[in-house]
Amino acid sequence: MTAGGAAPEGMVRVVAAVLHREGRYLLGRRPARKRHGGLWEFPGGKLDPGESTLDAVRRELLEEMGLLVTAAGGPLLSVMDGTSRFLIEFVEIFAEGTPSTLEHEAVGWFAPGEMLEIPMAPADATFARHLRSDRRDAGRG
């Protein structure tokens, strides 16, 4: 795991949108025909050559869920997707609209603890655990 930045040589950058409302996070269930089919994920996708993170997340969320992304923050966490060549950058976003199932089989809003109990794509599960531990740490002190 890294704090973000450029992908190492040969890696493909992927952006995962972290959208939360009222303490719950937006997830989509991947289509059965795709890699990690049937598992829940933070929506997003590969960055096109020369595309900024904000442009990529705007394009992906409009295509996948019909959401209008209004802003994006910096990477919250970057995770290698197992032994694949994908580097997934989890980025907080702000968006308008109601998510639709344009690409995913289902969409839902989940609390951090609930994410630990549903089948998630490996990198997304890693981020969910990170979210959960950050929330516990924030409650201390």
Side-chain angles (χ1 to χ4, degrees):
M1 291 184 282
T2 66
E9 185 71 27
M11 297 301 295
V12 175
R13 286 179 64 205
V14 175
V15 64
V18 180
L19 175 62
H20 60 89
R21 294 180 180 163
E22 299 176 15
R24 302 177 80 75
Y25 293 80
L26 179 63
L27 301 177
R29 192 170 61 222
R30 292 183 60 80
R33 70 185 185 284
K34 292 198 166 194
R35 183 171 187 259
H36 300 312
L39 301 179
W40 290 89
E41 70 172 355
F42 290 87
K46 297 175 198 154
L47 278 78
D48 289 337
E51 188 174 40
S52 72
T53 301
L54 178 58
D55 288 341
V57 80
R58 279 184 172 150
R59 176 181 50 77
E60 289 288 347
L61 265 71
L62 187 58
E63 290 173 3
E64 291 184 5
M65 296 186 166
L67 292 174
L68 177 62
V69 173
T70 57
L76 299 170
L77 188 69
S78 296
V79 177
M80 301 296 291
D81 188 17
T83 58
S84 76
R85 59 190 180 108
F86 298 110
L87 177 67
I88 302 175
E89 300 173 14
F90 292 86
V91 177
E92 182 177 27
I93 66 143
F94 301 89
E96 297 175 353
T98 301
S100 300
T101 54
L102 302 176
E103 171 70 21
H104 293 88
E105 292 180 349
V107 296
W109 295 91
F110 297 87
E114 293 170 328
M115 286 187 251
L116 302 177
E117 298 177 12
I118 61 172
M120 293 186 76
D124 298 88
T126 297
F127 182 73
R129 287 189 299 274
H130 171 78
L131 251 183
R132 183 74 176 160
S133 67
D134 272 3
R135 293 179 67 85
R136 279 195 302 253
D137 290 346
R140 295 182 188 154

